[in-house]
Amino acid sequence: MLDTPQNYTGNAFTSIDFDKRGRQLGFISFPHSPHDDAWGVTQVPIGVIANGTGPTVVLEGGNHGDEYEGPIVIGELARDLDPGSIQGRLILMPANNVHAVRAAKRTSPVDGLNFNRVWPGDGMGTITQQIAAYVSQCIFPMADAFLDLHSGGSSLDILPSAIIEPTPDPDLHRRNVEAVRAFDAPYSVVVANLGDQRTATATACRAGLVTIGTEMRGCGTVSLDALEICRKGVRNVLAHLDVVEGGGVRRNDRPVLELAGPSAYVYAPVDGIFEPFHENGETVSAGQPAGRIHQTWDITAQPVTLHYGIDGIVYGKRHPGRVSPGNCCIVVASPYGQRA
Ligand code: CA
């Protein structure tokens, strides 16, 4: 067991030596004592590849357990990347919310928690809170940059995009935008999660790390185009950070978009089946009908029409047809910095 930082409040341990050169693949082990395993551990997979001198970059996948492109790409890097080809250190964590990953669920089946709503975590909390605490207290202090590779999960289909986490630090914001442009996804989008600070990327920004998120389609499956965008984007960012040879990184100069607060979201007002009127990427305007909800079990019920709350493009769409009140049916992305 290696030393952990003095302020680490948990009791996880690992055989990984973060100061060692070369490739190491292993686990962070969190003592966990459920009914059927009194003295067992929850094993969160981790790989470290280090060589020469350069920045430390943390790559997270499996923050939600039903989002697959990022974890596939992180696993490929962990197994296949030649340590001699990098300058710096990669900390590769493809399945951080490991119980949710094994269950292919957004939230952990162990404690019911959404890993991306518990940061900075609690070393003495539930297992999901403990994993977040380890990353924020032990991993982030070693790091210069953080990539949090999400997709839309089981309930959303999202345009493949690199995500900018808002930060009040103007210099960090500039560096985050540069890194997101270097990722070169089809879309670059500022996503504030309605101001929620309990996310991995918000915590990484508070720690001063260059922070890049992604959304890579979704629908609880692997999308071929998004997987290739993710593979290339991660390589592009590592080249941008001078960890791998880039041969001249290109940074796209397409307009940055944002999810501009509550008006970007179209929520279901009633139970039923959601019929969208537009596909992802289509231009829409405030007040325009966005779709209808049908109560197909009641032949007398008129469909309920939903409307967009803002001008922009359809950025994400609910995947399952069945909706209940409050479900997110559509998300609209607007030009960044133009909110009314
Ligand atoms: Ca996600």
Side-chain angles (χ1 to χ4, degrees):
M1 180 168 166
L2 295 159
D3 289 343
T4 49
Q6 267 190 341
N7 66 344
Y8 175 52
T9 56
N11 56 359
F13 59 91
T14 181
S15 59
I16 296 283
D17 179 350
F18 290 97
D19 295 327
K20 199 169 149 187
R21 297 285 180 260
R23 182 196 326 274
Q24 300 170 78
L25 304 179
F27 298 97
I28 311 291
S29 295
F30 296 80
H32 187 211
S33 184
H35 170 74
D36 58 354
D37 188 15
W39 287 358
V41 290
T42 287
Q43 293 186 309
V44 173
I46 184 168
V48 175
I49 301 177
N51 184 56
T53 54
T56 293
V57 183
V58 179
L59 290 96
E60 171 174 270
N63 175 312
H64 295 129
D66 56 350
E67 306 176 4
Y68 304 124
E69 287 82 1
I72 290 173
V73 171
I74 295 170
E76 289 171 349
L77 286 174
R79 291 184 298 273
D80 302 338
L81 188 66
D82 172 11
S85 70
I86 75 162
Q87 285 293 321
R89 177 169 58 175
L90 300 184
I91 299 179
L92 301 155
M93 308 187 82
N96 269 354
N97 191 357
V98 68
H99 293 293
V101 169
R102 296 189 76 129
K105 300 285 188 197
R106 179 173 184 79
T107 51
S108 173
V110 174
D111 54 23
L113 291 176
N114 178 342
F115 185 62
N116 218 25
R117 299 293 183 274
V118 303
W119 293 71
D122 177 352
M124 286 289 123
T126 69
I127 199 70
T128 300
Q129 295 168 324
Q130 287 179 42
I131 297 167
Y134 188 89
V135 178
S136 63
Q137 294 173 13
C138 301
I139 302 289
F140 282 175
M142 293 188 275
D144 301 290
F146 178 56
L147 281 82
D148 192 16
L149 303 176
H150 289 246
S151 301
S154 304
S155 71
L156 286 170
D157 181 11
I158 300 180
L159 290 172
S161 38
I163 304 301
I164 300 159
E165 171 72 37
T167 166
D169 176 343
D171 182 57
L172 182 59
H173 178 73
R174 179 186 55 74
R175 291 188 293 146
N176 290 347
V177 171
E178 281 179 0
V180 160
R181 287 192 180 286
F183 191 104
D184 198 24
Y187 298 88
S188 300
V189 186
V190 177
V191 177
N193 288 301
L194 300 173
D196 203 317
Q197 293 295 298
R198 299 170 301 165
T199 65
T201 50
T203 306
C205 281
R206 287 197 298 277
L209 308 187
V210 171
T211 301
I212 303 109
T214 67
E215 295 294 350
M216 289 286 148
R217 296 208 190 281
C219 306
T221 191
V222 180
S223 301
L224 279 180
D225 65 336
L227 181 58
E228 199 49 35
I229 289 163
C230 192
R231 273 194 191 109
K232 283 187 182 147
V234 167
R235 282 278 180 166
N236 290 343
V237 170
L238 295 180
H240 168 74
L241 297 170
D242 292 324
V243 175
V244 300
E245 293 283 334
V249 184
R250 102 186 195 93
R251 287 186 210 135
N252 82 59
D253 53 7
R254 289 185 288 277
V256 171
L257 305 175
E258 70 171 331
L259 307 187
S263 64
Y265 298 80
V266 180
Y267 299 112
V270 294
D271 274 300
I273 311 300
F274 176 58
E275 172 202 0
F277 286 172
H278 304 98
E279 294 292 351
N280 279 347
E282 286 192 56
T283 300
V284 298
S285 53
Q288 183 183 355
R292 298 187 293 180
I293 295 178
H294 302 267
Q295 295 183 325
T296 52
W297 49 84
D298 179 354
I299 201 166
T300 68
Q302 290 293 334
V304 175
T305 300
L306 314 184
H307 298 87
Y308 296 109
I310 195 169
D311 296 350
I313 63 166
V314 177
Y315 174 61
K317 219 166 45 137
R318 183 173 169 85
H319 174 59
R322 183 70 169 86
V323 295
S324 295
N327 284 163
C328 176
C329 296
I330 296 273
V331 188
V332 173
S334 313
Y336 178 49
Q338 293 188 11
R339 76 173 75 186

